[in-house]
Amino acid sequence: MTNITLNRLFSHIFCYLAFSAIGFGVCAQTAQFEYDLKITADPTKRAAYLKQSGEVPSPYEQVFSLVKGSMSVATVVDKVDIRKDQYHINSTGNLAAVLATVLNDQKLLRDSVGAITNVGMVTNTYQEKRGNTELLIARVEKNALNFYKISSRTPPVGSAPYSGRLLDMLTVGYQFIGRELPAKSVALPVTDGRSLKTYTLVRGEPWDFPFDGGNVRAIRYYKTTSKEDTATFEVWFSEKEHVPLRSVIGLNAQYGATIQVDLKKIPKFQ
């Protein structure tokens, strides 16, 4: 075996050991996750709420009025890039053909950039754009999480005190790759680009999850609710890879809708 071959072998071994030891390692790790997004909606509930409140639905929300019962409405692709001390997740949601035509090919665009630390991913900047709505930006600046619309070069439209750990709507699903799943409840500060909330995820039951033509052992985590925050959230992480197999978001009663996101296939990091 030549020295070049040996060097490559030792390099691959080193990368593997480093990745295993600290979760993300010193070598670039990239993977693409593809999901099917399904919505179960009752348009009459949303219509009644809008009539009572006088609110006007955003262009992106029109998808709820087009759903009758339960149907797959979009494909979401997350590109996850994990490096030694930083990460980048880019997500694009494309509507199904019929809905794309009706809604002028609106997309759900999200992007998260931050650091890799001993507690996992820590968000620095999160961006989200839903269809024709304004771009939302949440950015950590000094000791505050500032919120912007359209551009971070304009004055912030809001702010929240910040110190320590921060997640967003993308990193909350990939937070445990290469790390142990929490044995008990865990409190996670999460931003959606508009505000900062603390989600308490409770560890639920393990079960054999029907997936990709077979069964995959998964652990369920679910968010606690309150009178002020009635939206529900639950996610099933694969017991082996700790990736999100399914996420279910029960929107507030004013929307009359539930969003379910299912991973199509577990990818391998390269």
Side-chain angles (χ1 to χ4, degrees):
M1 186 178 293
T2 65
N3 288 335
I4 294 178
T5 303
L6 282 172
N7 288 338
R8 288 177 178 172
L9 176 61
F10 288 141
S11 176
H12 287 309
I13 292 174
F14 174 76
C15 289
Y16 172 79
L17 291 176
F19 182 82
S20 302
I22 66 175
F24 299 103
V26 298
C27 305
Q29 303 286 331
T30 61
Q32 180 168 295
F33 294 77
E34 186 171 340
Y35 301 88
D36 176 57
L37 189 152
K38 179 186 297 182
I39 289 181
T40 302
D42 183 350
T44 58
K45 287 187 178 180
R46 181 60 174 161
Y49 174 82
L50 291 173
K51 183 178 180 180
Q52 181 181 11
S53 65
E55 290 184 20
V56 178
S58 68
Y60 185 77
E61 284 181 32
Q62 293 176 33
V63 68
F64 294 119
S65 64
L66 299 174
V67 175
K68 307 300 181 183
S70 180
M71 64 181 290
S72 295
V73 300
T75 296
V76 178
V77 176
D78 292 353
K79 296 179 180 178
V80 181
D81 185 3
I82 299 173
R83 299 179 182 272
K84 177 182 178 181
D85 55 5
Q86 61 185 359
Y87 75 86
H88 181 197
I89 304 175
N90 182 266
S91 178
T92 301
N94 292 294
L95 290 172
V98 175
L99 293 176
T101 301
V102 175
L103 299 177
N104 299 317
D105 198 27
Q106 295 183 43
K107 300 179 185 295
L108 171 61
L109 304 174
R110 297 176 295 170
D111 193 87
S112 177
V113 176
I116 296 295
T117 71
N118 60 348
V119 295
M121 296 176 177
V122 176
T123 304
N124 176 266
T125 302
Y126 175 71
Q127 301 183 68
E128 181 175 301
K129 191 176 190 305
R130 301 183 179 187
N132 296 333
T133 61
E134 295 176 315
L135 174 67
L136 301 176
I137 304 171
R139 174 172 291 176
V140 175
E141 296 169 317
K142 295 184 178 180
N143 295 321
L145 176 63
N146 290 327
F147 304 102
Y148 300 89
K149 286 187 176 181
I150 302 176
S151 172
S152 58
R153 296 181 179 178
T154 60
V157 296
S159 183
Y162 164 80
S163 63
R165 194 177 187 186
L166 175 68
L167 301 177
D168 57 63
M169 298 305 291
L170 282 174
T171 54
V172 71
Y174 299 105
Q175 182 64 205
F176 304 113
I177 294 177
R179 302 171 57 233
E180 291 297 321
L181 291 172
K184 300 180 180 179
S185 301
V186 57
L188 302 175
V190 180
T191 182
D192 60 358
R194 302 170 183 78
S195 62
L196 177 61
K197 296 180 180 180
T198 298
Y199 292 166
T200 298
L201 292 183
V202 179
R203 180 167 176 141
E205 68 283 359
W207 65 302
D208 291 327
F209 193 90
F211 182 81
D212 195 23
N215 289 321
V216 174
R217 191 73 167 174
I219 308 294
R220 173 177 173 259
Y221 288 81
Y222 59 94
K223 167 183 163 292
T224 57
T225 59
S226 64
K227 291 183 179 179
E228 295 74 24
D229 182 13
T230 59
T232 60
F233 173 70
E234 50 190 58
V235 56
W236 284 261
F237 291 101
S238 62
E239 191 174 56
K240 182 180 179 181
E241 301 87 357
H242 304 173
V243 298
L245 300 180
R246 171 178 292 172
S247 301
V248 180
I249 302 171
L251 302 180
N252 295 330
Q254 66 222 47
Y255 288 96
T258 299
I259 298 174
Q260 180 173 309
V261 185
D262 289 296
L263 183 64
K264 294 183 178 181
K265 191 176 184 65
I266 298 178
K268 292 184 178 180
F269 278 89
Q270 299 177 352

